[in-house]
Amino acid sequence: MLATSGRSLLLEGEFRPKIEASIPKYDLQGQSVAIIGLGKSGIAAAKLALARGASVLALDQNETLKPLEQTIFNVKDGRLKTILGCFDHELFDEADLIVVSHGVALENYCLASLLQSGKRVISELDFAAEVLPQCTKVLAVTGTNGKSTVATFAGQMLNHSNIRTFVGGNLGIPLSEAAFECLLSPQEPYQAAVVEVSSYQLEIPNKFFSPSVSVILNLTPDHLERHKSMTNYSMIKCRVLSHMSGRKIAILPMGNPYITDAIASHGNEYMFAWIGAYPGIKVDMEQKVANFNVPGIGLLSQLPLNAMKAVGTHNYYNAAIAALSVIGLDVGIDTAAISLTIDRLKAPPHRMQIVHEDGNGVTWVDDSKATNVEATYAGLTGLKEKKAVVLLGGLSKMLDAQGSNGFEHLIEPLKNHRGVVTVSDSFLLQHSHFTEAVKIIFSVNHHSCLASYIFIVIKFGSSGALIQDTLSSHGLAIPCLQAKDLKGAVSLAKNMAKPGDVILLSPGCASFDEFINFEHRGNFFQELDLSMV
């Protein structure tokens, strides 16, 4: 569990609290709150609303869920009611406040029209932020890629430095859990809250979420099926800055035109620190040293990163950005204190996670969180001086109006390698042809000694053929097979990998074709790996 506390954070029924007891603040007493979406964030928001004295109407279109009254709550005064499946939208007329889980798009439940009508509609993130203690310094981390790792590193730096810190948001534990804990124990507030923030959590403009430090790591095409355009996507992401002012710090990527245009619309003044420029942070990758220069907070120092154990060169930047963010919170931690934590940093699961080294000397690495091309690119470039069998595939995402899936951008980190063999689904079913394909690959590997690395790409999932076509049409120069699913891809990879190689799951795609989410996909990969020991 990432949050440091002696109390269990209730999500799945660890205990059944009497929510109406011991709560010092009933600011929603006598009001009705509708909670839309009953995943983790919706459940946490329902619990917080009850703690604040409200009556709660919990709604979800998924009829297979259990009503909250039958699961984790011990509310016997009629203040909680769950409706699953279809319902009469006139119920919203009776609600004083509507709290929306980030998994629910504004096109659902008539939310867009409710917002336009002036109805009070708020995100779960903002609902929690409304009652967080003012003494809790908030660090918000967003971006297309890397936000979970940077948030995790920042939380570890703070916790290792004995700062009582909540780590969550889009990452694992909803912010409403931290707010609930603070209501239960106002004498023991969190000193800091590190909150990973997704674009979905910012679709509804926030009123109360006002971080002391906000980080936008990067911005590349993603979630455009929901946000429709890069302009909309960037405007939504930059809402994390909307209530910052004064000595609050925005850490931003240098040279991103979408972010430049989006922040210009805010008008409020705060301090800037740039990723890759000054004032801000630069990382010397050869020396493995982060250089900080932010005059606005009196910061001019260096942070050695050579003790890092996390896999991937991109994690040096992730650690450096996390360090600058923590220093910017102004909770009494300096560069010297952070340097003592570098060798203890661990990336979250499914982010370049070493599963194990098998008996053949092959290292299995789970990067299932790489759900877009940019994340896979970072994983590949982080494996310098390693030979790898790379598994790509799943449900690819459209990156632009022309329908590109973006996999042509992987040609660069895969150049100067061994040759190409493409195998379609139907071809795989023909055993003799499949055997011949493998023979060709091994022949290419055996006779070539010019390339410094091997990358054999195996594609699986609903977009495997499309990925194969994209790579081939852009001049992919490495062996390339296609499997019909992840299990088949792992089997091929195991047969091809040689001692000292890496088998890397870094799909570059969403997981919704074969799996529930990237965690499900990563866990399945790990199970396949360990089952072959």
Side-chain angles (χ1 to χ4, degrees):
M1 183 173 293
L2 291 173
T4 56
S5 171
R7 186 181 300 105
S8 174
L9 292 179
L10 173 63
L11 283 179
E12 299 179 356
E14 295 93 340
F15 65 102
R16 295 167 63 85
K18 292 185 178 180
I19 293 176
E20 61 271 19
S22 304
I23 303 300
K25 186 176 182 181
Y26 287 89
D27 64 314
L28 297 179
Q29 185 82 41
Q31 296 188 43
S32 174
V33 175
I35 308 292
I36 301 180
L38 301 181
K40 287 193 295 185
S41 64
I43 292 172
K47 191 172 67 172
L48 179 59
L50 290 167
R52 295 172 64 180
S55 297
V56 171
L57 176 63
L59 303 166
D60 199 297
Q61 293 176 338
N62 186 352
E63 297 179 350
T64 66
L65 298 176
K66 287 185 178 181
L68 297 189
E69 305 92 308
Q70 299 177 14
T71 54
I72 64 176
F73 292 94
N74 185 21
V75 180
K76 299 179 180 179
D77 57 6
R79 289 193 296 125
L80 174 62
K81 181 180 180 181
T82 303
I83 298 178
L84 302 175
C86 297
F87 63 92
D88 188 345
H89 285 76
E90 291 183 359
L91 290 171
F92 290 141
D93 296 337
E94 304 172 7
D96 298 292
L97 173 65
I98 299 171
V99 179
V100 183
S101 301
H102 63 270
V104 179
L106 297 184
E107 290 80 6
N108 298 337
Y109 299 93
C110 301
L111 289 175
S113 60
L114 285 170
L115 279 166
Q116 292 175 357
S117 72
K119 191 74 176 180
R120 191 182 177 205
V121 180
I122 192 171
S123 67
E124 177 270 328
L125 183 77
D126 219 24
F127 184 61
E130 185 178 12
V131 293
L132 275 181
Q134 292 185 355
C135 62
T136 301
K137 296 288 189 72
V138 175
L139 163 58
V141 183
T142 192
T144 304
N145 296 304
K147 51 187 178 291
S148 295
T149 301
V150 170
T152 298
F153 284 172
Q156 291 169 356
M157 291 172 181
L158 287 159
N159 282 320
H160 291 328
S161 302
N162 297 316
I163 301 296
R164 186 169 185 266
T165 303
F166 169 85
V167 182
N170 187 59
L171 171 66
I173 304 170
L175 187 60
S176 288
E177 288 288 353
F180 178 77
E181 267 206 86
C182 291
L183 284 180
L184 280 181
S185 302
Q187 298 80 18
E188 301 177 9
Y190 286 107
Q191 294 169 270
V194 181
V195 186
E196 180 193 318
V197 184
S198 73
S199 57
Y200 292 0
Q201 291 173 296
L202 297 168
E203 278 187 316
I204 300 173
N206 50 301
K207 297 179 180 179
F208 306 104
F209 188 64
S210 180
S212 296
V213 177
S214 286
V215 183
I216 302 177
L217 293 167
N218 43 56
L219 193 72
T220 55
D222 202 8
H223 305 303
L224 298 188
E225 73 286 349
R226 180 153 164 172
H227 299 313
K228 310 307 180 186
S229 71
M230 281 297 294
T231 298
N232 288 342
Y233 182 39
S234 59
M235 290 294 291
I236 290 170
K237 281 287 192 185
C238 287
R239 283 177 181 163
V240 74
L241 310 172
S242 58
H243 294 289
M244 296 179 61
S245 61
R247 291 186 58 80
K248 294 187 174 184
I249 303 171
I251 302 175
L252 306 173
M254 174 62 72
N256 188 299
Y258 292 105
I259 291 178
T260 300
D261 291 343
I263 61 177
S265 67
H266 285 290
N268 46 331
E269 295 184 2
Y270 40 80
M271 287 191 289
F272 289 93
W274 300 101
I275 300 170
Y278 298 135
I281 178 174
K282 293 183 179 181
V283 177
D284 185 331
M285 297 302 295
E286 290 188 6
Q287 299 296 321
K288 296 182 174 59
V289 171
N291 298 287
F292 303 117
N293 186 345
V294 187
I297 59 174
L299 178 61
L300 180 62
S301 63
Q302 291 186 323
L303 176 66
L305 299 171
N306 55 340
M308 282 276 296
K309 296 177 181 177
V311 176
T313 56
H314 58 292
N315 276 322
Y316 291 108
Y317 253 106
N318 288 336
I321 296 166
L324 177 56
S325 305
V326 167
I327 294 169
L329 282 180
D330 192 22
V331 291
I333 298 179
D334 58 14
T335 308
I338 291 175
S339 67
L340 301 176
T341 73
I342 295 299
D343 65 339
R344 302 169 70 183
L345 299 181
K346 295 181 180 179
H350 313 299
R351 284 90 167 168
M352 295 301 290
Q353 176 188 358
I354 296 177
V355 181
H356 92 301
E357 182 178 318
D358 65 24
N360 296 320
V362 175
T363 301
W364 296 64
V365 177
D366 173 7
D367 193 30
S368 181
K369 184 58 176 70
T371 57
N372 55 51
V373 172
E374 287 75 19
T376 297
Y377 187 102
L380 290 174
T381 55
L383 281 179
K384 292 181 178 179
E385 300 179 2
K386 292 286 186 179
K387 301 177 181 180
V389 181
V390 182
L391 279 59
L392 299 175
L395 185 61
S396 66
K397 303 174 182 180
M398 184 185 72
L399 298 188
D400 56 34
Q402 288 71 44
S404 168
N405 59 25
F407 277 85
E408 64 273 13
H409 298 296
L410 297 184
I411 299 297
E412 178 65 23
L414 298 176
K415 68 180 182 180
N416 299 324
H417 298 297
R418 305 283 181 96
V420 178
V421 176
T422 61
V423 183
S424 68
D425 289 339
S426 58
F427 193 40
L428 274 173
L429 297 177
Q430 301 176 40
H431 177 74
S432 61
H433 290 163
F434 170 71
T435 302
E436 186 61 28
V438 174
K439 286 181 178 178
I440 293 172
I441 288 177
F442 284 132
S443 176
V444 171
N445 289 344
H446 180 73
H447 291 294
S448 174
C449 59
L450 298 176
S452 56
Y453 324 120
I454 302 171
F455 283 90
I456 300 172
V457 179
I458 302 173
K459 297 172 297 303
F460 61 93
S462 62
S463 298
L466 179 61
I467 295 168
Q468 185 177 40
D469 291 343
T470 301
L471 292 174
S472 297
S473 64
H474 286 81
L476 180 70
I478 58 173
C480 184
L481 295 178
Q482 182 176 328
K484 62 182 180 180
D485 55 26
L486 181 54
K487 184 176 182 180
V490 167
S491 180
L492 289 174
K494 183 173 175 61
N495 288 334
M496 294 176 185
K498 296 181 179 181
D501 286 358
V502 171
I503 294 177
L504 172 65
L505 172 67
S506 189
C509 291
S511 52
F512 302 127
D513 62 331
E514 188 180 353
F515 302 99
I516 299 172
N517 49 38
F518 75 85
E519 293 98 339
H520 182 203
R521 175 171 62 190
N523 290 335
F524 185 71
F525 171 77
Q526 294 189 27
E527 290 169 5
L528 288 173
D529 164 21
L530 297 175
S531 70
M532 296 180 178
V533 175

